[in-house]
Amino acid sequence: MASDLEQKSIDTIRVIAADTVRAASSGHPGAPMGCAPIAHILFTKFLNANPKNPYFINRDRFLLSNGHACALQYIMLHLLGYNVSMDDLKQFRQLGSKTPGHPERLDTDGVEVTTGPLGQGVGNAVGMAIAEAQLSATYNRPGFEIFNNYTYFLLGDGCLQEGVASEAASLAGHLKLGKLIAFYDDNSITIDGDTAVSFTEDVVKRFESYDWHTIVVGHGDTDFSSIEKAITEARSVTDKPTLIKVKTTIGMLFFLFYFWRKNFYKKQATVLYCKVKKRSTVLLFPVNDDIKQIKKKFGFNPDKTFDISSDVYDLYHARAKEGAQYEAKWNELFKQYKAKYAKEAAEIERRFAEKLPEGWEKALPRFTPSDDAVATRKLSEGVLTAIEAKLPELIGGSADLTGSNLTRWTDAVDFQHPSTGLGDYTGRYLRYGIREHGMFAIMNGMAAYGGIIPYGGTFLNFLTYGWGAARLSAISHIRVLYVMTHDSIGLGEDGPTHQPIETLALTRATPNMLTFRPADGNETSGTYLAAISNLTRPSIIALSRQNLPQLKGTSIEAVLKGAYVLQTDEKPQIVFVSTGSEVCIAVEAAKALAEKKISSRVVSMPCTELFDDQSAEYKKEVFPLGVPVISIEALSTFGWDRYSHAHIGLNTFGQSGKADDVYKFFKITSEHAVEKAEKVIAHFKKLGYVPEVNAQL
């Protein structure tokens, strides 16, 4: 039986959710009202966190996969004393507020990840649980549980219908992540109405097939003790993640229906109804008269808005005080740990401060033109092998393409539950299976947990399988490395279904994302230097299947500029700018032009975004004014107008065939580059001037 104060606190969350959404005239009050009991019980009785230090290392993590319910999270943060004021709640969904329309990790203290696209939070939560398991196995010692936090997340029917949730949940069950606990808000509603029209599967059986522990709470609106018991049971299960299915009523509909039937408000002017199998469903936020009636029913003053009584605040502040004590106890434990395990403690502190080990970059391989031609995917493997011991925070994997992506160093240990005999939780290599979208979302969660630099491999063309998560990496300003091999028509026989054409145009158009396409060994090493050193941008690393020569003039450090002069004549008449496997084509074309007494310059541009960051003076050094520029890249020419006057590339999908034959078919050859250069030089000579490209402005 709930105490009067507990009931009052839960009802307070409900009415404040209605006030918050009403004030904004925008948002979703239904899930916050329906999930109020879950949130109250979790945050006041189980979740260990300190609002005064929201990001202390061993806090429990809470994620909201159904991000549209963020009013609930903001209210909980406010009640506990995080840096979310009542005025912030009143500014819900307003420009520049701490309470945006979906949770943003950069905007609001206490928000762990940016969510909104449904299902992403499921993958993020799995990533956080993996991070905890890996770090605890690596650093915990007898008597010193430095890492032992739980990861809790809330999801709804919409999340469960997204494929990314299935991918991540399936892997979580395989990995037996016992400190991962999900709350399924089973309210049987999506935007189209009753889930009877589209979603009738047995979710519990589905998760049991994933090897999750499952618990059902049948009356989540009122049966608070069962929610508490369910969480206690879930925490006792150590070898499986747990799904707690809680049957709720969206927006506490039984109250709204009660008022509707009693004619407390007019049908036409209040809540939008739709009929789905004779069931009424609230789809939009209530108007003021509705909220007043709700407040009356819950025992609140209908004329007051954003009103929270002192005894409710006192209850939450008492829990916040317990959170501060929890952190203080952990700090004392870590102090003792540090005295006994100084090296490990120093490493933890360094990793969570996002500081790289001093001199780690010295391990990066360097190459000379006399070294063998090697595919950049193979060179990437060499980099990972060279730096993994220097960077224990580097944790990688592949979506079932390890042998093709070459993402696993030789003596890597797989991250697996010890009972499988396939590895253990200290492992730093994840077998994601054929789950690209899940992998990307999981990497976001690992990065957001802290102390980890995640990377994951697949073919570049399959980046867009999981693009929703990759885009969130950029929005969230987190360091995630996407190791994408088979980066062009150079993969050959697999043909247009596997040959990426438009993919890098997409990544280069995405704000706060770095796109790398290295030309040889030095540029591959430089790519990892730049990607790992950049704390706030995800990196797309596009790597070749085919062997590429080690070029004269490349260097690790030059990659940090984004583009640089690889070779040049004194007064070039034409500039070739190229990336990756086509840089050597540009070099061959320049050599052929020299035989014709035509001077040229070759610019390698491994990362357009880093070049865009450079000064105007440097850009003009690379691309001298008055000299025409031709881009060469075996992908879409879209976007190259920023840097060049003419292009060699593709404006169609690829072809199946031998790589050399496909290149010739699309005229991506040194011979064609020479012909193009002669025509471009003649054109601008006749024109009488060479216009500036955007990169020179």
Side-chain angles (χ1 to χ4, degrees):
M1 188 74 179
S3 68
D4 291 343
L5 180 55
E6 184 169 62
Q7 183 70 62
K8 182 179 181 181
S9 299
I10 291 169
D11 292 343
T12 296
I13 296 168
R14 288 165 170 159
V15 297
I16 296 297
D19 282 341
T20 298
V21 175
R22 177 64 258 172
S25 295
S26 176
H28 306 260
M33 295 175 76
C35 293
I38 299 172
H40 171 78
I41 293 164
L42 175 64
F43 277 77
T44 60
K45 298 184 178 182
F46 294 97
L47 191 89
N48 291 312
N50 180 9
K52 302 307 178 187
N53 184 14
Y55 301 106
F56 99 86
I57 290 175
N58 198 43
R59 67 191 180 279
D60 287 337
R61 271 69 168 177
F62 172 78
L63 290 76
L64 192 67
S65 185
N66 46 346
H68 58 275
C70 58
L72 173 66
Q73 188 167 16
Y74 300 147
I75 291 165
M76 303 311 296
L77 295 175
H78 169 73
L79 289 169
L80 285 165
Y82 285 82
N83 188 22
V84 178
S85 68
M86 184 64 81
D87 285 340
D88 292 325
L89 295 181
K90 294 176 181 178
Q91 289 297 305
F92 180 55
R93 287 186 161 226
Q94 304 307 303
L95 183 65
S97 76
K98 295 178 187 175
T99 50
H102 288 87
E104 301 274 354
R105 69 184 295 268
L106 299 177
D107 293 348
T108 315
D109 286 350
V111 170
E112 300 285 355
V113 293
T114 298
T115 57
L118 294 175
Q120 292 293 332
V122 180
N124 299 161
V126 173
M128 288 196 162
I130 289 171
E132 185 280 332
Q134 203 281 334
L135 289 164
S136 65
T138 301
Y139 291 110
N140 287 2
R141 298 293 184 269
F144 294 97
E145 289 199 12
I146 302 304
F147 296 95
N148 65 355
N149 69 277
Y150 286 88
T151 299
Y152 302 96
F153 66 101
L154 183 63
L155 74 160
D157 292 299
C159 297
L160 287 166
Q161 293 172 62
E162 292 287 358
V164 63
S166 298
E167 293 179 23
S170 173
L171 184 60
H174 165 74
L175 294 174
K176 302 181 184 297
L177 299 173
K179 290 190 179 249
L180 178 64
I181 299 174
F183 298 92
Y184 166 30
D185 173 26
D186 179 20
N187 58 35
S188 300
I189 296 296
T190 60
I191 289 177
D192 273 359
D194 196 306
T195 52
V197 303
S198 62
F199 189 58
T200 54
E201 68 182 43
D202 190 325
V203 171
V204 169
K205 288 183 179 178
R206 170 178 157 192
F207 272 73
E208 287 174 351
S209 77
Y210 292 156
D211 203 23
W212 284 55
H213 180 67
T214 60
I215 306 169
V216 176
V217 176
H219 303 283
D221 299 325
T222 56
D223 190 358
F224 307 148
S225 63
S226 290
I227 296 174
E228 183 175 349
K229 289 176 183 176
I231 300 173
T232 300
E233 179 182 333
R235 286 163 58 99
S236 71
V237 177
T238 60
D239 61 347
K240 292 183 180 183
T242 296
L243 177 78
I244 304 174
K245 174 183 172 179
V246 185
K247 189 64 182 175
T248 66
T249 308
I250 189 168
M252 290 299 291
L253 293 184
F254 54 88
F255 288 119
L256 295 178
F257 293 157
Y258 172 81
F259 296 131
W260 178 55
R261 288 193 297 270
K262 296 294 185 180
N263 288 320
F264 278 85
Y265 47 47
K266 298 177 182 178
K267 293 181 185 178
Q268 293 86 355
T270 56
V271 182
L272 176 65
Y273 289 88
C274 72
K275 293 290 185 179
V276 180
K277 290 192 174 181
K278 298 183 179 180
R279 175 174 178 169
S280 298
T281 302
V282 175
L283 293 182
L284 298 181
F285 51 86
V287 297
N288 289 332
D289 286 346
D290 306 332
I291 296 173
K292 287 183 178 181
Q293 297 302 329
I294 293 169
K295 289 179 179 178
K296 283 183 180 179
K297 184 65 180 179
F298 284 142
F300 293 86
N301 186 332
D303 296 318
K304 286 187 176 182
T305 60
F306 293 98
D307 184 41
I308 301 176
S309 64
S310 59
D311 54 347
V312 172
Y313 273 127
D314 289 345
L315 172 65
Y316 277 91
H317 292 170
R319 180 60 183 172
K321 185 177 180 180
E322 291 173 0
Q325 293 169 348
Y326 175 82
E327 183 193 357
K329 185 177 179 180
W330 184 89
N331 287 337
E332 179 59 31
L333 179 70
F334 189 76
K335 181 179 178 181
Q336 297 172 21
Y337 177 86
K338 190 173 183 178
K340 193 170 183 179
Y341 303 103
K343 179 182 176 183
E344 290 83 354
E347 195 165 86
I348 292 169
E349 290 176 326
R350 176 190 65 74
R351 288 172 62 167
F352 278 83
E354 294 189 308
K355 294 180 179 178
L356 296 169
E358 187 174 348
W360 74 272
E361 69 280 2
K362 294 176 183 177
L364 291 166
R366 293 180 182 268
F367 299 85
T368 68
S370 62
D371 290 322
D372 291 340
V374 182
T376 51
R377 61 174 175 149
K378 184 67 175 176
L379 293 163
S380 168
E381 179 187 44
V383 172
L384 294 171
T385 300
I387 66 175
E388 61 86 12
K390 302 288 185 181
L391 292 172
E393 55 264 57
L394 197 64
I395 296 179
S398 171
D400 200 56
L401 288 169
T402 297
S404 293
N405 302 146
L406 303 178
T407 40
R408 188 178 188 271
W409 58 88
T410 306
D411 59 349
V413 175
D414 283 2
F415 180 88
Q416 299 279 357
H417 191 274
S419 66
T420 65
L422 301 172
D424 59 50
Y425 277 173
T426 66
R428 292 165 54 199
Y429 193 79
L430 282 149
R431 306 283 185 167
Y432 285 102
I434 308 166
R435 303 182 180 100
E436 292 88 356
H437 202 175
M439 175 173 70
F440 298 164
I442 287 168
M443 291 196 296
N444 285 343
M446 293 169 68
Y449 185 94
I452 289 175
I453 303 173
Y455 72 88
T458 187
F459 291 171
L460 177 59
N461 198 52
F462 301 149
L463 172 64
T464 48
Y465 261 18
W467 180 248
R471 184 173 182 269
L472 283 176
S473 300
I475 292 175
S476 302
H477 288 222
I478 52 178
R479 176 177 47 187
V480 175
L481 276 56
Y482 293 85
V483 181
M484 306 284 101
T485 69
H486 296 61
D487 69 343
S488 73
I489 58 171
L491 68 87
E493 294 86 347
D494 280 341
T497 60
H498 283 54
Q499 294 167 355
I501 303 299
E502 75 289 354
T503 311
L504 295 192
L506 171 63
T507 64
R508 289 167 178 156
T510 302
N512 198 53
M513 180 174 279
L514 298 177
T515 305
F516 294 94
R517 193 164 182 253
D520 70 354
N522 287 327
E523 286 196 358
T524 302
S525 290
T527 289
Y528 276 94
L529 173 62
I532 290 171
S533 299
N534 200 300
L535 302 180
T536 59
R537 291 160 121 179
S539 294
I540 309 299
I541 302 175
L543 302 168
S544 74
R545 179 191 186 189
Q546 70 271 38
N547 290 339
L548 302 178
Q550 311 302 331
L551 299 170
K552 182 179 179 181
T554 62
S555 76
I556 293 174
E557 293 73 22
V559 175
L560 301 179
K561 293 283 191 179
Y564 62 98
V565 177
L566 183 67
Q567 64 178 52
T568 187
D569 295 324
E570 187 174 345
K571 292 183 178 180
Q573 298 169 261
I574 193 76
V575 174
F576 293 117
V577 59
S578 191
T579 76
S581 50
E582 289 71 67
V583 176
C584 60
I585 293 176
V587 171
E588 292 170 1
K591 182 179 179 181
L593 286 174
E595 294 174 356
K596 295 187 173 191
K597 309 299 182 184
I598 300 174
S599 59
S600 66
R601 170 176 291 187
V602 176
V603 172
S604 180
M605 185 176 273
C607 182
T608 60
E609 298 92 345
L610 288 179
F611 180 73
D612 292 343
D613 292 342
Q614 304 308 309
S615 67
E617 291 74 18
Y618 178 75
K619 292 176 183 177
K620 290 175 182 178
E621 288 177 17
V622 174
F623 296 110
L625 296 177
V627 182
V629 181
I630 299 174
S631 63
I632 309 175
E633 188 175 59
L635 293 101
S636 173
T637 60
F638 186 87
W640 278 106
D641 288 343
R642 289 175 50 80
Y643 311 100
S644 59
H645 302 89
H647 323 296
I648 297 173
L650 283 82
N651 292 302
T652 184
F653 291 112
Q655 290 283 331
S656 176
K658 300 293 184 185
D660 289 346
D661 293 338
V662 177
Y663 268 82
K664 290 175 183 177
F665 178 84
F666 287 109
K667 295 184 178 180
I668 304 175
T669 63
S670 60
E671 293 81 7
H672 181 65
V674 169
E675 293 176 14
K676 189 93 167 182
E678 291 176 322
K679 290 179 180 178
V680 169
I681 292 170
H683 170 77
F684 285 113
K685 185 175 182 180
K686 182 178 180 181
L687 188 65
Y689 76 99
V690 179
E692 295 178 349
V693 293
N694 288 344
Q696 296 171 319
L697 298 177

